[in-house]
PDB file of all heavy atoms in Angstrom:
ATOM      1  N   ALA O1792      -7.026 -34.607  61.948  1.00 94.00           N
ATOM      2  CA  ALA O1792      -6.612 -34.498  60.699  1.00 94.00           C
ATOM      3  C   ALA O1792      -7.423 -35.377  59.652  1.00 94.00           C
ATOM      4  O   ALA O1792      -7.233 -35.187  58.474  1.00 94.00           O
ATOM      5  CB  ALA O1792      -5.065 -34.897  60.596  1.00 94.00           C
ATOM      6  N   GLU O1793      -8.050 -36.414  60.206  1.00 95.00           N
ATOM      7  CA  GLU O1793      -8.717 -37.249  59.336  1.00 95.00           C
ATOM      8  C   GLU O1793      -9.934 -36.649  58.628  1.00 95.00           C
ATOM      9  O   GLU O1793     -10.561 -37.131  57.578  1.00 95.00           O
ATOM     10  CB  GLU O1793      -9.221 -38.624  59.948  1.00 95.00           C
ATOM     11  CG  GLU O1793     -10.210 -38.293  61.217  1.00 95.00           C
ATOM     12  CD  GLU O1793      -9.323 -38.122  62.519  1.00 95.00           C
ATOM     13  OE1 GLU O1793      -8.121 -37.754  62.494  1.00 95.00           O
ATOM     14  OE2 GLU O1793      -9.916 -38.462  63.496  1.00 95.00           O
ATOM     15  N   VAL O1794     -10.475 -35.428  59.259  1.00 96.00           N
ATOM     16  CA  VAL O1794     -11.705 -34.860  58.740  1.00 96.00           C
ATOM     17  C   VAL O1794     -11.320 -33.312  58.369  1.00 96.00           C
ATOM     18  O   VAL O1794     -12.107 -32.751  57.713  1.00 96.00           O
ATOM     19  CB  VAL O1794     -12.940 -34.848  59.767  1.00 96.00           C
ATOM     20  CG1 VAL O1794     -13.267 -36.270  59.987  1.00 96.00           C
ATOM     21  CG2 VAL O1794     -12.525 -34.239  61.036  1.00 96.00           C
ATOM     22  N   PHE O1795     -10.310 -32.851  58.979  1.00 97.00           N
ATOM     23  CA  PHE O1795      -9.991 -31.472  58.640  1.00 97.00           C
ATOM     24  C   PHE O1795      -8.552 -31.370  57.864  1.00 97.00           C
ATOM     25  O   PHE O1795      -7.570 -31.651  58.345  1.00 97.00           O
ATOM     26  CB  PHE O1795      -9.739 -30.601  59.851  1.00 97.00           C
ATOM     27  CG  PHE O1795      -9.669 -29.162  59.835  1.00 97.00           C
ATOM     28  CD1 PHE O1795     -10.790 -28.403  59.905  1.00 97.00           C
ATOM     29  CD2 PHE O1795      -8.311 -28.484  59.680  1.00 97.00           C
ATOM     30  CE1 PHE O1795     -10.708 -26.984  59.793  1.00 97.00           C
ATOM     31  CE2 PHE O1795      -8.369 -27.188  59.485  1.00 97.00           C
ATOM     32  CZ  PHE O1795      -9.505 -26.338  59.556  1.00 97.00           C
ATOM     33  N   ARG O1796      -8.674 -31.119  56.596  1.00 96.00           N
ATOM     34  CA  ARG O1796      -7.520 -31.388  55.623  1.00 96.00           C
ATOM     35  C   ARG O1796      -6.901 -29.956  55.156  1.00 96.00           C
ATOM     36  O   ARG O1796      -7.597 -29.210  54.674  1.00 96.00           O
ATOM     37  CB  ARG O1796      -8.006 -32.196  54.342  1.00 96.00           C
ATOM     38  CG  ARG O1796      -8.758 -33.405  54.709  1.00 96.00           C
ATOM     39  CD  ARG O1796      -7.879 -34.581  55.256  1.00 96.00           C
ATOM     40  NE  ARG O1796      -8.681 -35.769  55.623  1.00 96.00           N
ATOM     41  CZ  ARG O1796      -9.304 -36.730  54.681  1.00 96.00           C
ATOM     42  NH1 ARG O1796      -9.098 -36.483  53.437  1.00 96.00           N
ATOM     43  NH2 ARG O1796      -9.773 -37.743  55.199  1.00 96.00           N
ATOM     44  N   VAL O1797      -5.700 -29.847  55.311  1.00 97.00           N
ATOM     45  CA  VAL O1797      -4.922 -28.719  54.811  1.00 97.00           C
ATOM     46  C   VAL O1797      -3.483 -29.124  54.445  1.00 97.00           C
ATOM     47  O   VAL O1797      -2.986 -30.102  55.057  1.00 97.00           O
ATOM     48  CB  VAL O1797      -4.917 -27.548  55.939  1.00 97.00           C
ATOM     49  CG1 VAL O1797      -6.149 -26.878  56.125  1.00 97.00           C
ATOM     50  CG2 VAL O1797      -4.266 -28.091  57.113  1.00 97.00           C
ATOM     51  N   PRO O1798      -2.881 -28.462  53.481  1.00 97.00           N
ATOM     52  CA  PRO O1798      -1.503 -28.741  53.158  1.00 97.00           C
ATOM     53  C   PRO O1798      -0.555 -28.270  54.287  1.00 97.00           C
ATOM     54  O   PRO O1798      -0.900 -27.156  54.942  1.00 97.00           O
ATOM     55  CB  PRO O1798      -1.174 -27.992  51.892  1.00 97.00           C
ATOM     56  CG  PRO O1798      -2.232 -26.813  51.872  1.00 97.00           C
ATOM     57  CD  PRO O1798      -3.470 -27.392  52.674  1.00 97.00           C
ATOM     58  N   GLU O1799       0.561 -28.899  54.539  1.00 97.00           N
ATOM     59  CA  GLU O1799       1.458 -28.410  55.663  1.00 97.00           C
ATOM     60  C   GLU O1799       2.105 -27.107  55.266  1.00 97.00           C
ATOM     61  O   GLU O1799       2.192 -26.300  56.164  1.00 97.00           O
ATOM     62  CB  GLU O1799       2.368 -29.559  55.858  1.00 97.00           C
ATOM     63  CG  GLU O1799       3.314 -29.287  57.029  1.00 97.00           C
ATOM     64  CD  GLU O1799       4.275 -30.482  57.285  1.00 97.00           C
ATOM     65  OE1 GLU O1799       4.467 -31.330  56.518  1.00 97.00           O
ATOM     66  OE2 GLU O1799       4.926 -30.496  58.493  1.00 97.00           O
ATOM     67  N   PHE O1800       2.608 -26.940  54.088  1.00 97.00           N
ATOM     68  CA  PHE O1800       3.197 -25.743  53.644  1.00 97.00           C
ATOM     69  C   PHE O1800       2.642 -25.112  52.405  1.00 97.00           C
ATOM     70  O   PHE O1800       2.215 -25.899  51.458  1.00 97.00           O
ATOM     71  CB  PHE O1800       4.709 -25.966  53.302  1.00 97.00           C
ATOM     72  CG  PHE O1800       5.555 -26.084  54.671  1.00 97.00           C
ATOM     73  CD1 PHE O1800       5.819 -27.524  55.116  1.00 97.00           C
ATOM     74  CD2 PHE O1800       6.007 -25.099  55.411  1.00 97.00           C
ATOM     75  CE1 PHE O1800       6.753 -27.713  56.104  1.00 97.00           C
ATOM     76  CE2 PHE O1800       6.727 -25.344  56.540  1.00 97.00           C
ATOM     77  CZ  PHE O1800       7.086 -26.609  56.789  1.00 97.00           C
ATOM     78  N   VAL O1801       2.530 -23.851  52.442  1.00 98.00           N
ATOM     79  CA  VAL O1801       2.006 -23.085  51.165  1.00 98.00           C
ATOM     80  C   VAL O1801       3.008 -21.861  51.177  1.00 98.00           C
ATOM     81  O   VAL O1801       3.272 -21.200  52.040  1.00 98.00           O
ATOM     82  CB  VAL O1801       0.649 -22.461  51.348  1.00 98.00           C
ATOM     83  CG1 VAL O1801       0.144 -21.781  50.002  1.00 98.00           C
ATOM     84  CG2 VAL O1801      -0.377 -23.702  51.665  1.00 98.00           C
ATOM     85  N   THR O1802       3.536 -21.714  49.940  1.00 98.00           N
ATOM     86  CA  THR O1802       4.493 -20.634  49.729  1.00 98.00           C
ATOM     87  C   THR O1802       4.141 -19.772  48.443  1.00 98.00           C
ATOM     88  O   THR O1802       3.824 -20.464  47.388  1.00 98.00           O
ATOM     89  CB  THR O1802       5.934 -21.068  49.690  1.00 98.00           C
ATOM     90  OG1 THR O1802       6.880 -20.029  49.615  1.00 98.00           O
ATOM     91  CG2 THR O1802       6.241 -22.120  48.516  1.00 98.00           C
ATOM     92  N   ARG O1803       4.393 -18.595  48.523  1.00 97.00           N
ATOM     93  CA  ARG O1803       4.410 -17.723  47.288  1.00 97.00           C
ATOM     94  C   ARG O1803       5.471 -16.708  47.154  1.00 97.00           C
ATOM     95  O   ARG O1803       5.783 -16.056  48.167  1.00 97.00           O
ATOM     96  CB  ARG O1803       2.973 -16.969  47.289  1.00 97.00           C
ATOM     97  CG  ARG O1803       2.839 -16.006  46.045  1.00 97.00           C
ATOM     98  CD  ARG O1803       1.455 -15.357  45.968  1.00 97.00           C
ATOM     99  NE  ARG O1803       1.455 -14.408  47.080  1.00 97.00           N
ATOM    100  CZ  ARG O1803       0.315 -13.776  47.545  1.00 97.00           C
ATOM    101  NH1 ARG O1803      -0.920 -14.028  46.980  1.00 97.00           N
ATOM    102  NH2 ARG O1803       0.434 -12.924  48.698  1.00 97.00           N
ATOM    103  N   ASN O1804       6.119 -16.779  46.186  1.00 98.00           N
ATOM    104  CA  ASN O1804       7.415 -15.995  45.978  1.00 98.00           C
ATOM    105  C   ASN O1804       7.379 -15.299  44.615  1.00 98.00           C
ATOM    106  O   ASN O1804       7.190 -15.799  43.631  1.00 98.00           O
ATOM    107  CB  ASN O1804       8.709 -16.800  46.020  1.00 98.00           C
ATOM    108  CG  ASN O1804       8.705 -17.743  47.167  1.00 98.00           C
ATOM    109  OD1 ASN O1804       8.144 -18.962  47.104  1.00 98.00           O
ATOM    110  ND2 ASN O1804       9.080 -17.415  48.424  1.00 98.00           N
ATOM    111  N   THR O1805       7.496 -13.894  44.799  1.00 97.00           N
ATOM    112  CA  THR O1805       7.364 -13.037  43.458  1.00 97.00           C
ATOM    113  C   THR O1805       8.646 -12.285  43.429  1.00 97.00           C
ATOM    114  O   THR O1805       9.046 -11.557  44.240  1.00 97.00           O
ATOM    115  CB  THR O1805       6.115 -12.147  43.661  1.00 97.00           C
ATOM    116  OG1 THR O1805       5.007 -12.948  43.816  1.00 97.00           O
ATOM    117  CG2 THR O1805       6.037 -11.255  42.483  1.00 97.00           C
ATOM    118  N   LEU O1806       9.333 -12.336  42.122  1.00 98.00           N
ATOM    119  CA  LEU O1806      10.514 -11.677  41.836  1.00 98.00           C
ATOM    120  C   LEU O1806      10.021 -10.552  40.794  1.00 98.00           C
ATOM    121  O   LEU O1806       9.459 -11.036  39.755  1.00 98.00           O
ATOM    122  CB  LEU O1806      11.537 -12.421  41.355  1.00 98.00           C
ATOM    123  CG  LEU O1806      12.850 -11.771  40.703  1.00 98.00           C
ATOM    124  CD1 LEU O1806      13.535 -11.020  41.922  1.00 98.00           C
ATOM    125  CD2 LEU O1806      13.791 -12.678  39.991  1.00 98.00           C
ATOM    126  N   TYR O1807      10.156  -9.348  41.135  1.00 97.00           N
ATOM    127  CA  TYR O1807       9.543  -8.257  40.189  1.00 97.00           C
ATOM    128  C   TYR O1807      10.451  -7.174  39.956  1.00 97.00           C
ATOM    129  O   TYR O1807      11.400  -6.827  40.842  1.00 97.00           O
ATOM    130  CB  TYR O1807       8.222  -7.821  40.658  1.00 97.00           C
ATOM    131  CG  TYR O1807       8.244  -7.065  42.036  1.00 97.00           C
ATOM    132  CD1 TYR O1807       8.173  -5.700  42.015  1.00 97.00           C
ATOM    133  CD2 TYR O1807       8.255  -7.778  43.121  1.00 97.00           C
ATOM    134  CE1 TYR O1807       8.263  -4.921  43.159  1.00 97.00           C
ATOM    135  CE2 TYR O1807       8.351  -7.019  44.417  1.00 97.00           C
ATOM    136  CZ  TYR O1807       8.215  -5.783  44.404  1.00 97.00           C
ATOM    137  OH  TYR O1807       8.313  -4.975  45.532  1.00 97.00           O
ATOM    138  N   TYR O1808      10.252  -6.400  38.975  1.00 97.00           N
ATOM    139  CA  TYR O1808      11.104  -5.290  38.548  1.00 97.00           C
ATOM    140  C   TYR O1808      10.063  -4.046  38.367  1.00 97.00           C
ATOM    141  O   TYR O1808       9.055  -4.158  37.786  1.00 97.00           O
ATOM    142  CB  TYR O1808      11.818  -5.441  37.195  1.00 97.00           C
ATOM    143  CG  TYR O1808      12.291  -4.291  36.548  1.00 97.00           C
ATOM    144  CD1 TYR O1808      13.575  -3.756  36.788  1.00 97.00           C
ATOM    145  CD2 TYR O1808      11.611  -3.675  35.432  1.00 97.00           C
ATOM    146  CE1 TYR O1808      13.984  -2.617  36.008  1.00 97.00           C
ATOM    147  CE2 TYR O1808      11.959  -2.613  34.760  1.00 97.00           C
ATOM    148  CZ  TYR O1808      13.201  -2.104  35.140  1.00 97.00           C
ATOM    149  OH  TYR O1808      13.803  -0.973  34.446  1.00 97.00           O
ATOM    150  N   THR O1809      10.411  -2.880  39.030  1.00 95.00           N
ATOM    151  CA  THR O1809       9.586  -1.744  38.986  1.00 95.00           C
ATOM    152  C   THR O1809      10.509  -0.512  38.480  1.00 95.00           C
ATOM    153  O   THR O1809      11.651  -0.286  39.016  1.00 95.00           O
ATOM    154  CB  THR O1809       9.180  -1.399  40.427  1.00 95.00           C
ATOM    155  OG1 THR O1809       8.309  -2.510  40.816  1.00 95.00           O
ATOM    156  CG2 THR O1809       8.084  -0.190  40.314  1.00 95.00           C
ATOM    157  N   ASP O1810       9.917   0.300  37.628  1.00 94.00           N
ATOM    158  CA  ASP O1810      10.616   1.293  37.055  1.00 94.00           C
ATOM    159  C   ASP O1810       9.720   2.469  36.416  1.00 94.00           C
ATOM    160  O   ASP O1810       8.619   2.070  35.981  1.00 94.00           O
ATOM    161  CB  ASP O1810      11.758   0.847  36.055  1.00 94.00           C
ATOM    162  CG  ASP O1810      12.698   1.931  35.737  1.00 94.00           C
ATOM    163  OD1 ASP O1810      12.754   2.981  36.527  1.00 94.00           O
ATOM    164  OD2 ASP O1810      13.517   1.756  34.737  1.00 94.00           O
ATOM    165  N   GLU O1811      10.159   3.577  36.272  1.00 94.00           N
ATOM    166  CA  GLU O1811       9.553   4.668  35.564  1.00 94.00           C
ATOM    167  C   GLU O1811      10.065   4.660  34.114  1.00 94.00           C
ATOM    168  O   GLU O1811      11.347   4.839  33.988  1.00 94.00           O
ATOM    169  CB  GLU O1811       9.672   5.962  36.177  1.00 94.00           C
ATOM    170  CG  GLU O1811       9.112   6.128  37.596  1.00 94.00           C
ATOM    171  CD  GLU O1811       7.604   6.465  37.645  1.00 94.00           C
ATOM    172  OE1 GLU O1811       7.010   6.516  36.449  1.00 94.00           O
ATOM    173  OE2 GLU O1811       7.239   6.744  38.700  1.00 94.00           O
ATOM    174  N   TRP O1812       9.294   4.559  33.034  1.00 93.00           N
ATOM    175  CA  TRP O1812       9.646   4.520  31.606  1.00 93.00           C
ATOM    176  C   TRP O1812       9.430   5.787  30.849  1.00 93.00           C
ATOM    177  O   TRP O1812       8.388   6.375  31.197  1.00 93.00           O
ATOM    178  CB  TRP O1812       9.074   3.249  30.967  1.00 93.00           C
ATOM    179  CG  TRP O1812       9.714   2.026  31.244  1.00 93.00           C
ATOM    180  CD1 TRP O1812      10.568   1.744  32.239  1.00 93.00           C
ATOM    181  CD2 TRP O1812       9.398   0.686  30.751  1.00 93.00           C
ATOM    182  NE1 TRP O1812      10.936   0.428  32.253  1.00 93.00           N
ATOM    183  CE2 TRP O1812      10.252  -0.302  31.250  1.00 93.00           C
ATOM    184  CE3 TRP O1812       8.508   0.223  29.716  1.00 93.00           C
ATOM    185  CZ2 TRP O1812      10.240  -1.617  31.047  1.00 93.00           C
ATOM    186  CZ3 TRP O1812       8.449  -1.138  29.407  1.00 93.00           C
ATOM    187  CH2 TRP O1812       9.417  -2.030  29.979  1.00 93.00           C
ATOM    188  N   PHE O1813      10.206   5.949  29.924  1.00 91.00           N
ATOM    189  CA  PHE O1813      10.135   7.053  28.962  1.00 91.00           C
ATOM    190  C   PHE O1813      10.333   8.454  29.531  1.00 91.00           C
ATOM    191  O   PHE O1813      10.376   8.637  30.884  1.00 91.00           O
ATOM    192  CB  PHE O1813       8.682   7.082  28.262  1.00 91.00           C
ATOM    193  CG  PHE O1813       8.349   5.638  27.701  1.00 91.00           C
ATOM    194  CD1 PHE O1813       7.241   4.947  28.183  1.00 91.00           C
ATOM    195  CD2 PHE O1813       9.143   5.321  26.576  1.00 91.00           C
ATOM    196  CE1 PHE O1813       6.961   3.809  27.636  1.00 91.00           C
ATOM    197  CE2 PHE O1813       8.772   4.091  26.053  1.00 91.00           C
ATOM    198  CZ  PHE O1813       7.548   3.380  26.594  1.00 91.00           C
ATOM    199  N   LYS O1814      10.553   9.458  28.776  1.00 87.00           N
ATOM    200  CA  LYS O1814      10.937  10.769  29.244  1.00 87.00           C
ATOM    201  C   LYS O1814       9.746  11.453  29.866  1.00 87.00           C
ATOM    202  O   LYS O1814       8.767  11.410  29.278  1.00 87.00           O
ATOM    203  CB  LYS O1814      11.299  11.544  27.822  1.00 87.00           C
ATOM    204  CG  LYS O1814      11.821  12.926  28.333  1.00 87.00           C
ATOM    205  CD  LYS O1814      12.264  13.753  27.027  1.00 87.00           C
ATOM    206  CE  LYS O1814      12.875  15.032  27.451  1.00 87.00           C
ATOM    207  NZ  LYS O1814      13.238  15.884  26.132  1.00 87.00           N
ATOM    208  N   GLY O1815      10.014  12.075  31.088  1.00 87.00           N
ATOM    209  CA  GLY O1815       9.039  12.633  31.740  1.00 87.00           C
ATOM    210  C   GLY O1815       8.328  11.576  32.675  1.00 87.00           C
ATOM    211  O   GLY O1815       7.362  11.985  33.400  1.00 87.00           O
ATOM    212  N   LYS O1816       8.674  10.433  32.620  1.00 89.00           N
ATOM    213  CA  LYS O1816       8.224   9.258  33.436  1.00 89.00           C
ATOM    214  C   LYS O1816       6.534   9.128  33.564  1.00 89.00           C
ATOM    215  O   LYS O1816       5.969   9.287  34.479  1.00 89.00           O
ATOM    216  CB  LYS O1816       8.656   9.487  34.990  1.00 89.00           C
ATOM    217  CG  LYS O1816      10.129   9.431  35.206  1.00 89.00           C
ATOM    218  CD  LYS O1816      10.426   9.688  36.670  1.00 89.00           C
ATOM    219  CE  LYS O1816      11.967   9.667  36.848  1.00 89.00           C
ATOM    220  NZ  LYS O1816      12.346   9.915  38.237  1.00 89.00           N
TER     221      LYS O1816
END
Side-chain angles (χ1 to χ4, degrees):
E1793 60 269 28
V1794 297
F1795 193 90
R1796 311 283 178 77
V1797 290
E1799 186 175 13
F1800 285 99
V1801 182
T1802 181
R1803 180 180 64 193
N1804 311 89
T1805 301
L1806 178 64
Y1807 66 99
Y1808 164 84
T1809 301
D1810 194 14
E1811 300 273 5
W1812 281 7
F1813 306 115
K1814 185 178 181 180
K1816 299 181 179 179

